[in-house]
Amino acid sequence: MYLRKLLSLPRTLAFRLALWYALIFTISSFVAFLVFHLVISSALRDRTDQELLTEVTELSSHLALKGLDAVELDIVQDAESTGVTRMFLRVLTPGGEELVSSNMSSWTDILVSDNALKRLMSGSNNVFDTLNNPRRGHSVRILYGIIGPDRIVQIGKSLEDDERFMMAFRERFLMLMAGLMVLGGLIGWFMARRALSGIEEVSRTAEDISKGSIESRVSLKARGAELERLVTTFNTMLDRIHSLMCGMREMTDNIAHDLKSPVTRIRGIAEMTLTSGNSLDEYHSMAANTIEECDRLLTMIDTMLDISELEAGAGNLAMDEVDIARVVEDACELFQPLAEDKGLTIIAELPTNCWVYGDVQRLQRMVANLLDNAVKYTPTEGTVTVSVNGDEDQVFLSVNDTGIGISEEDLANIFERFYRCDPSRSETGVGLGLSLVMAIAHSHGGDVGASSYPGKGSIFTISLPRKPISQPVFCSNITKW
Ligand code: ADP
């Protein structure tokens, strides 16, 4: 288990991030080291050169004022005060012949460079040279300078101290860098783990959910805007899936419940006819009842499928210019006999024509469902008023009745599938009519709203756009009267 975890470590994002972090850290430190090295070594070199040049200037003025003997004393003293192993001075003729010098016992390997003398003679004031003699173990900085007529001084200074200093600098810096690299890797690892902890929690939650605990959510701790957005989106998605699952479960329960009643009725009719029915008439009546129940069942299943298709945007709408005033007028005529039977008055307040863009059959079903409800839930001597009006962009269709009304609590649920308010249980219906109305309105880019006053009546309003829409709207507008 641990071995597997260890082997998969290089594949983890945290490990790679830590590695990158350490690498970038190392490269930056190395560049910083190079820059420091260059700056310090050139500062040291400048300082040495400056010292040698000062020496030449001093010797030159001493030679002019006091002569060669005084210069000899000077160079011996200067070499001794610095250390005869660290510095030498000698005065030469332009041909390279030595006139006077400090103690040269430690500098026997240092010769006079003909090239440097030639350059001096050809006009250069000072000539610098660096000798790297491996036997000596350190470099020597040499300056040839003119201190008087036919007098040249050769000064050499050991760079041992500077080189030792640079070596110590290099060693310390490299040691520090190695330590910093390890530290950088560890800090990188820690930071990457911390930054990715949110993602790990998201995948842990996803794992929990796949094991069945659908209620799990990722906690929203302060982890940076990006991760907080991911966590919020993830949790919102889970909430949505959860509510969809609950909705589906509820719908399945409802379907099972609503399918059970007609099937039980069909079975009851068949059983009764089998046990007690003898005559052909009874068998005929059983067959007729069975067909009636089956038709109800099929209508219910068709409506459910229609709603699902429309909601999923797969309703295959046959879109065209539709005169909605004509559709409403036809529907009113269709429901007139039913209304008359119940002693209701249907009033249609319609313009001569009113064009919308839609599927005529779906719009007919929508209007029919609203009228059916208004007639069904309005007692004798009531009135159902249907009106159509609109503006440049939208058409408004309203069905207003003086019926039993809907309580505020029910009003919030009437557009849900299979929802039926208690006072209307005595009427036929399965609670799918308004869901279909809403699905049709939304699929046309419109909306549906309802307001009601219990005991006095209800108004259902549909708004439809006149022009074709690119995306359907999925919301509804429910208000209390
Ligand atoms: P149903 O088949 O039961 O009519 P609907 O989806 O058409 O199903 O309506 C859902 C519920 O809303 C109905 O059962 C009824 O209680 C209530 N309802 C719908 N329209 C009206 C109305 N015009 N007046 C009073 N109640 C209504």
Side-chain angles (χ1 to χ4, degrees), residues 313-441:
N316 282 336
L317 299 174
M319 300 300 270
D320 205 353
E321 297 270 327
V322 178
D323 182 0
I324 193 78
R326 181 76 196 276
V327 170
V328 172
E329 196 182 349
D330 290 350
C332 288
E333 273 174 25
L334 200 73
F335 278 89
Q336 192 59 42
L338 203 67
E340 273 170 19
D341 282 355
K342 261 189 99 173
L344 301 179
T345 313
I346 296 184
I347 303 170
E349 295 168 351
L350 306 171
T352 328
N353 51 42
C354 184
W355 297 97
V356 291
Y357 197 73
D359 178 330
V360 66
Q361 283 189 2
R362 292 320 210 300
L363 294 176
Q364 279 167 347
R365 279 187 86 182
M366 184 180 79
V367 175
N369 269 309
L370 288 177
L371 266 173
D372 183 44
N373 279 349
V375 170
K376 231 170 22 177
Y377 302 118
T378 303
T380 316
E381 291 184 4
T383 311
V384 175
T385 312
V386 192
S387 65
V388 171
N389 51 59
D391 56 27
E392 218 176 275
D393 302 321
Q394 292 192 94
V395 165
F396 302 99
L397 185 162
S398 76
V399 180
N400 188 347
D401 66 57
T402 56
I404 57 172
I406 305 162
S407 72
E408 193 179 349
E409 202 192 353
D410 285 332
L411 203 58
N413 301 311
I414 50 170
F415 290 99
E416 281 172 24
R417 289 176 220 196
F418 297 108
Y419 190 86
R420 303 201 73 207
C421 315
D422 272 341
S424 49
R425 293 266 168 215
S426 53
E427 293 292 341
T428 55
V430 289
L432 287 175
L434 287 180
S435 306
L436 183 66
V437 167
M438 189 166 83
I440 293 174

Side-chain angles (χ1 to χ4, degrees), residues 188-232:
W189 172 254
F190 175 73
M191 278 169 60
R193 295 274 306 171
R194 217 175 114 78
L196 296 174
S197 67
I199 295 181
E200 266 187 19
E201 206 176 323
V202 169
S203 49
R204 252 200 316 274
T205 309
E207 252 172 50
D208 286 351
I209 290 170
S210 69
K211 280 179 195 153
S213 76
I214 187 81
E215 248 101 277
S216 298
R217 295 290 177 276
V218 185
S219 62
L220 193 78
K221 292 180 213 142
R223 296 187 168 104
E226 296 89 347
L227 276 178
E228 271 172 34
R229 209 165 50 237
L230 172 73
V231 168
T232 315

Side-chain angles (χ1 to χ4, degrees), residues 34-47:
L34 282 182
V35 171
F36 276 133
H37 196 277
L38 268 171
V39 169
I40 294 172
S41 58
S42 103
L44 290 175
R45 173 67 50 88
D46 285 352
R47 196 188 62 182

Side-chain angles (χ1 to χ4, degrees), residues 449-468:
S451 51
S452 184
Y453 194 82
K456 296 223 165 148
S458 316
I459 305 179
F460 285 85
T461 313
I462 303 277
S463 62
L464 292 171
R466 282 195 190 262
K467 296 197 181 107

